[in-house]
Amino acid sequence: MNASGGARTRQVLALTVAVGLCVPALLLRLLLGHVSAPIGTLCYGVAFIGAALLLVWGTELAQLELPTGLALSALAVIAILPEYAIDLLFAYQAGQNPGTSSLALANMTGANRLLIGIGWSVVVFVGAVSYHRARRAGGGENGGGDNGAGERHRYAMNLRRLATLDIVVLGAASLYMLHMPMRSTLTLFDSAVLLCLFGFYVFRLARAPQEEPEFIGPPALINRLSTSWRRTVVVVMMGSAALVIVFMAHPLSESIVQTGQLLGLDKFLMVQWVAPLATESAELVPACLFAWRQLPDKGLGTLLSSKINQWTLLVSMVPAAFALAAGSLSGLPMSPTQQHAILLTAAQSLFAMSLLIDLRMSVRQAALILALFLSDVVGSVVLGDDARSVMRTTLSVVYLTLAAVRLVRLRDRIPQVLRDGVRTHPRDMLGEPEQVR
């Protein structure tokens, strides 16, 4: 009873904190109107985190109404709504002032690379710590089994076969985006291609049967309510959070750019790395909680689905927002800097896809992802423009080479992955993944 009461207290506290994160920004926006850029960046950034947490929790509860795969996809879409708000705002502003088009692409490519480089690796690390902690507490016993008393037992986060759909779509979108460095604009044709991939992804997920979800944190508290009250709370919670995000998108983007100018930092780098940290961090929290509970399909699996949404739906909406503001179909212009950034993002995505071709990710692989990403960030900050372009091209080649080597080594698995991702019915791919291999 005490344990149950303690859990309920923590759930209420988490919900209160998420709401509380939104309050300072609302007070600043409604009462003060204008504050210094650093204060605005802090307040509006934490408001995005609080609102995103409310959106994620509400969408988790939508699994009670939707097929499992579709609910997880919806969770991924809603979780990156803050990223949509910021990126589309920059794209719309670029349509009115083409000189700012680099900011829209900087935010989009930075968010995509950060999601894999930080998000995927951290979730695997959290899962590994939780697994080894449980092994020590259980005296070495575990559900995964050892392959011999003398063999060192290594942790790997495994996904179920349904993730092959994500892998196929991620690979297709990344291969398509590889040709962008040969282009000078991102056009509505690109939007159509990426929207078709996203539509195929959602269509396939919608055919998966509904499963009984397992809630943690505030969703578990809200799920105890009656059906009518639960739905009411979810609608109010998600609607309010969405309004906060839309209301704060413009002041946050302005504050980030102005803060960079005050600190003497390049605004391109501020938009590429600082803005995504605010918009992506809330998405990482529930994924880490799922990983801690050894639920890889809801931890790493959710971030994989988020990557699909960002790399297809979000990217497709950028030239659409630009065209709407510009009143032109000429496409969002790309400078060589943005071309290199898109090439690097596509290369990293292909490498990440190749790591999951066997539906597992080890700690070593996660560490490699993190190390390559950190070299990207450090190079972006300390190098000049010319050296930065060389660094991005070199890192792209490294990613593509590693991906090619990985795919050649596991070439026997590729036909099965393609078959599962394109043809196998989702209901046949819902078995539970192994915890370790």
Side-chain angles (χ1 to χ4, degrees):
M1 189 67 176
N2 290 337
S4 177
R8 188 176 295 107
T9 300
R10 290 191 295 271
Q11 292 161 356
V12 172
L13 179 61
L15 195 57
T16 303
V17 168
V19 174
L21 290 175
C22 302
V23 173
L26 289 172
L27 293 177
L28 288 179
R29 187 83 166 121
L30 296 174
L31 300 181
L32 298 179
H34 178 74
V35 294
S36 66
I39 293 177
T41 298
L42 176 62
C43 291
Y44 298 134
V46 298
F48 261 55
I49 294 174
L53 283 170
L54 295 176
L55 286 171
V56 167
W57 293 332
T59 313
E60 284 183 51
L61 289 161
Q63 295 180 65
L64 296 169
E65 322 290 341
L66 299 172
T68 298
L70 190 59
L72 286 176
S73 179
L75 169 60
V77 171
I78 297 297
I80 60 174
L81 182 58
E83 184 59 41
Y84 278 70
I86 293 293
D87 211 1
L88 296 184
L89 176 62
F90 281 129
Y92 190 84
Q93 291 173 340
Q96 299 172 325
N97 179 13
T100 64
S101 61
S102 62
L103 297 182
L105 293 173
N107 189 255
M108 180 270 288
T109 55
N112 269 279
R113 299 209 297 277
L114 188 145
L115 181 61
I116 290 178
I118 296 294
W120 290 21
S121 55
V122 167
V123 164
V124 174
F125 296 154
V126 169
V129 171
S130 171
Y131 171 76
H132 288 297
R133 178 175 176 272
R135 271 179 64 84
R136 287 194 297 270
E141 296 298 325
N142 67 88
D146 290 319
N147 295 324
E151 183 177 342
R152 183 180 177 184
H153 201 90
R154 291 187 174 92
Y155 175 87
M157 184 168 280
N158 288 259
L159 299 172
R160 55 186 174 179
R161 285 175 63 196
L162 188 62
T164 54
L165 173 57
D166 302 74
I167 293 169
V168 167
V169 174
L170 176 58
S174 302
L175 285 172
Y176 178 78
M177 294 297 287
L178 274 181
H179 86 287
M180 287 299 161
M182 297 181 287
R183 303 259 303 279
S184 60
T185 58
L186 190 65
T187 68
L188 292 178
F189 177 80
D190 303 314
S191 296
V193 172
L194 295 172
L195 277 175
C196 286
L197 285 173
F198 180 74
F200 168 77
Y201 178 63
V202 173
F203 170 76
R204 291 276 288 153
L205 285 178
R207 303 177 67 195
Q210 187 175 9
E211 293 181 283
E212 186 66 28
E214 184 174 355
F215 297 120
I216 55 177
L221 177 69
I222 297 171
N223 188 44
R224 297 190 187 102
L225 302 174
S226 66
T227 301
S228 59
W229 272 108
R230 185 193 74 229
R231 290 173 177 172
T232 300
V233 169
V234 169
V235 169
V236 171
M237 185 168 64
M238 295 181 68
S240 302
L243 286 175
V244 168
I245 288 170
V246 172
F247 199 46
M248 300 299 165
H250 186 262
L252 176 60
S253 63
E254 287 189 334
S255 296
I256 289 172
V257 172
Q258 292 171 10
T259 299
Q261 293 172 341
L262 288 174
L263 297 176
L265 300 175
D266 184 71
K267 64 181 179 181
F268 183 89
L269 296 178
M270 289 290 291
V271 170
Q272 186 171 48
W273 300 127
V274 177
L277 278 176
T279 55
E280 302 282 1
S281 57
E283 184 182 0
L284 186 57
V285 172
C288 287
L289 291 175
F290 285 128
W292 184 258
R293 298 189 64 185
Q294 294 298 297
L295 297 171
D297 55 307
K298 292 184 179 179
L300 181 58
T302 298
L303 293 186
L304 174 58
S305 187
S306 294
K307 171 62 180 179
I308 299 297
N309 283 280
Q310 285 192 179
W311 202 216
T312 56
L313 183 60
L314 174 58
V315 178
S316 73
M317 295 175 70
V318 169
F322 175 85
L324 180 64
S328 169
L329 301 180
S330 58
L332 179 69
M334 294 186 294
S335 71
T337 298
Q338 284 86 58
Q339 290 170 333
H340 288 131
I342 290 179
L343 172 63
L344 179 56
T345 306
Q348 185 210 42
S349 301
L350 279 173
F351 173 61
M353 179 274 296
S354 72
L355 292 180
L356 291 179
I357 200 73
D358 59 351
L359 298 176
R360 68 193 299 267
M361 181 171 289
S362 68
V363 173
R364 287 183 178 179
Q365 291 169 336
L368 178 58
I369 286 178
L370 181 61
L372 290 172
F373 173 74
L374 291 179
S375 67
D376 174 18
V377 174
V378 172
S380 297
V381 173
V382 304
L383 298 178
D385 289 342
D386 292 339
R388 193 183 301 155
S389 295
V390 173
M391 180 272 295
R392 285 177 173 160
T393 302
T394 302
L395 195 53
S396 298
V397 172
V398 171
Y399 275 128
L400 292 174
T401 301
L402 292 173
V405 170
R406 172 78 173 168
L407 292 174
V408 168
R409 286 183 56 199
L410 298 178
R411 59 187 178 276
D412 292 341
R413 297 189 59 91
I414 295 177
Q416 181 63 48
V417 169
L418 291 174
R419 194 158 44 245
D420 284 348
V422 176
R423 296 180 57 186
T424 306
H425 197 288
R427 67 167 175 266
D428 299 325
M429 299 190 290
L430 289 178
E432 290 298 318
E434 298 176 5
Q435 298 289 49
V436 294
R437 179 185 292 180

